[in-house]
Amino acid sequence: TVGVVVRDQSGVTVAGTSTGGTTAKRWGRVGDTPVIGAGTWADERCGLSATGTGEYFIRFNVAASICREAEYRALQTGPEGAAQAAADAMMDTLLADGGDGGIVMLYLGEPVWAMNTPGMYRASWGEGREPYIAIYD
Amino acid sequence: NDWSIIIHGGAGVIERGDMDAQTEAAYRAALQSALEQGGAMLRDGADGIDVVEALIQAFEDDPMFNAGRGGVFTADGRVEMDASVMIGSTRAAGAVAGVTSVRHPISLARAVMEHSPHVMLAGDGAEGFAAERGLELADQAFFFTERRWQAMESQVQRMGLPVPPRPEGAPDPEPVNEGALDMMEREHRFG
């Protein structure tokens, strides 16, 4: 699975995800990638792309829930750290239920990622920031 | 507004020891190239939707990633692809599921968003819409990679299922280094 989230100079956030799914899938199995709100989400402030065991991301409506939780936390305690806390909380919830994977997101243009696997191919960059690439924790 | 970009190439139980230096360098180079292409487009004032489509098309063409060419195989030996895209300012969204003959599923997802009243199309219907919109089509051999095929073979044998025939036009079998196979086994769990 691959995912890209950008905020352009007009301030518009766009998220996209694409995948081949899971090896040896049967019966036309579809995971979270094409399910808006599960594997991909974008609103006025937040954009997210996910990768993981799709069934959990669908059942927990992960992408939209994390963005909504980030918004709620930002209203309570300010935007700083709100998105990271929301993402971390959701990944912990997924893990507790047996689901695993990771997410990348932009919240108000700030990069956030969270995963509950030791490795995820990920990278971020932005105006006034240095490019950053990581694969492992 | 300041432009910003974040990308992922999938997740898996990848232990540091699983990936040899050459493979890691190749993945880092692919991520670097995507960042540079996206950053340049955004710096030049491109619309976010154009940047997302362009970068994901590049990933879909890169056989290292589980999307488009290099996608994993189903138990009956096909590459079936899913994609979606969403624009935050309008909540416009498009998605496709289970497509097998479209070179860039992300472009088909965008076409659904921009040229249909729907959000998601699936299977044969999505393929028909792609043909109507004149999207670039490709046969199953185009998406074929040996390492993904062998990963599927070992998975279906573990599931007690028959190994399906190789797709028409696929290259002859070739050896794949075991280490890479193991890693893919883990990768498959995460799409």
Side-chain angles (χ1 to χ4, degrees):
Chain A
T1 304
V2 296
V4 175
V5 183
V6 302
R7 186 175 76 169
D8 61 27
Q9 291 193 45
S10 309
V12 175
T13 296
V14 182
T17 313
S18 181
T19 190
T22 50
T23 297
K25 62 188 178 181
R26 298 173 73 191
W27 311 304
R29 180 265 186 185
V30 172
D32 61 311
T33 291
V35 181
I36 298 298
T40 305
W41 177 259
D43 60 37
E44 292 72 10
R45 285 165 296 281
C46 185
L48 189 149
S49 173
T51 177
T53 307
E55 282 70 11
Y56 291 92
F57 283 75
I58 293 171
R59 290 170 51 230
F60 286 83
N61 197 229
V62 168
S65 297
I66 290 177
C67 284
R68 202 158 295 116
E69 175 77 11
E71 187 64 9
Y72 176 74
R73 287 175 182 259
L75 288 169
Q76 300 299 309
T77 58
E80 190 67 32
Q84 189 67 64
D88 290 343
M90 175 58 83
M91 296 316 285
D92 289 344
T93 301
L94 282 188
L95 191 60
D97 202 70
D100 37 21
I103 65 96
V104 298
M105 76 188 278
L106 290 179
Y107 181 72
L108 300 175
E110 288 303 309
V112 171
W113 46 53
M115 55 192 179
N116 57 28
T117 76
M120 182 173 178
Y121 313 118
R122 57 205 194 273
S124 73
W125 192 11
E127 185 86 39
R129 282 191 277 122
E130 288 301 311
Y132 180 79
I133 294 173
I135 290 183
Y136 308 95
D137 261 337
Chain B
N1 288 267
D2 289 345
W3 62 267
S4 186
I5 180 170
I6 195 163
I7 57 180
H8 76 77
V13 182
I14 302 174
E15 309 301 338
R16 186 172 288 280
D18 283 355
M19 190 182 274
D20 60 41
Q22 187 188 349
T23 305
E24 179 168 338
Y27 275 104
R28 285 182 181 278
L31 293 169
Q32 180 75 29
S33 160
L35 266 192
E36 286 168 2
Q37 181 185 355
M41 290 178 73
L42 288 164
R43 213 173 16 243
D44 290 347
D47 284 346
I49 181 62
D50 294 329
V51 179
V52 165
E53 182 182 21
L55 261 60
I56 290 184
Q57 278 189 350
F59 278 131
E60 288 171 337
D61 282 342
D62 188 334
M64 284 200 304
F65 295 94
N66 177 21
R69 177 184 281 172
V72 298
F73 285 91
T74 66
D76 51 25
R78 278 199 313 278
V79 177
E80 276 184 12
M81 299 163 282
D82 313 319
S84 63
V85 64
M86 188 168 187
I87 299 178
S89 55
T90 59
R91 300 292 178 98
V96 289
V99 291
T100 60
S101 65
V102 178
R103 179 176 180 181
H104 297 125
I106 192 66
S107 299
L108 182 55
R110 179 175 181 173
V112 171
M113 174 175 74
E114 294 178 343
H115 304 296
S116 92
H118 308 304
V119 172
M120 182 190 282
L121 299 181
D124 292 343
E127 319 264 23
F129 185 71
E132 276 178 31
R133 296 299 311 170
L135 265 72
E136 187 175 352
L137 306 180
D139 61 18
Q140 279 285 300
F142 172 81
F143 303 105
F144 184 94
T145 55
E146 188 65 35
R147 68 188 188 105
R148 297 293 193 193
W149 183 262
Q150 291 191 16
M152 178 276 289
E153 275 189 347
S154 52
Q155 180 64 20
V156 295
Q157 285 162 341
R158 263 202 298 278
M159 295 160 70
L161 296 173
V163 174
R166 290 170 79 89
E168 197 177 318
D172 292 334
E174 57 183 28
V176 171
N177 75 52
E178 277 308 312
L181 264 182
D182 289 343
M183 182 173 73
M184 282 183 300
E185 292 318 289
R186 298 185 194 129
E187 269 189 20
H188 94 84
R189 287 190 60 223
F190 307 116

